[in-house]
Amino acid sequence: MINFLLFCFFLIFILFLILLQTGFFVFFSFFAGGYWGAVLILTVLGILLFSEKPSRNSGFILAFFTGFFMDIFSGCFFGFYTLIAMAIAFAIKFILRQYLRN
């Protein structure tokens, strides 16, 4: 139950951060080049947090929804950020499975 609440909190916080980056931070010059920065860091942290067991796929679900929300609120074609986030989740899961956990 606690993992589900933490997962929902991460998802809501990521959505809030995406809304801030696309709607508010674009007016400031120091955020102009880093559109994906804070969301990427939070996504990687969430994937590492929720990928405790090799059989769990909650890191992929978090990456999918992060990319999906980024696609909704960005100007790129639909599916671009979803593919990037899923590739990052796959790479993290692969590294954790091969090198850190048996």
Side-chain angles (χ1 to χ4, degrees), residues 50-99:
F50 295 117
S51 295
E52 295 174 357
K53 297 179 183 177
S55 62
R56 296 182 86 179
N57 291 327
S58 54
F60 287 115
I61 296 169
L62 181 71
F64 173 77
F65 281 113
T66 301
F68 181 73
F69 289 143
M70 287 289 288
D71 283 332
I72 288 174
F73 296 112
S74 72
C76 291
F77 62 91
F78 200 75
F80 179 71
Y81 288 115
T82 303
L83 288 175
I84 289 174
M86 292 297 286
I88 291 170
F90 180 75
I92 290 172
K93 189 83 161 181
F94 178 77
I95 289 169
L96 287 177
R97 188 175 291 156
Q98 290 293 323
Y99 299 109

Side-chain angles (χ1 to χ4, degrees), residues 11-27 35 39 66 69-70 72-74:
L11 205 55
I12 291 170
F13 189 69
I14 285 173
L15 178 62
F16 178 71
L17 194 60
I18 290 170
L19 287 173
L20 276 178
Q21 281 186 341
T22 58
F24 182 69
F25 290 155
V26 293
F27 298 113
Y35 177 71
V39 175
T66 301
F69 289 143
M70 287 289 288
I72 288 174
F73 296 112
S74 72

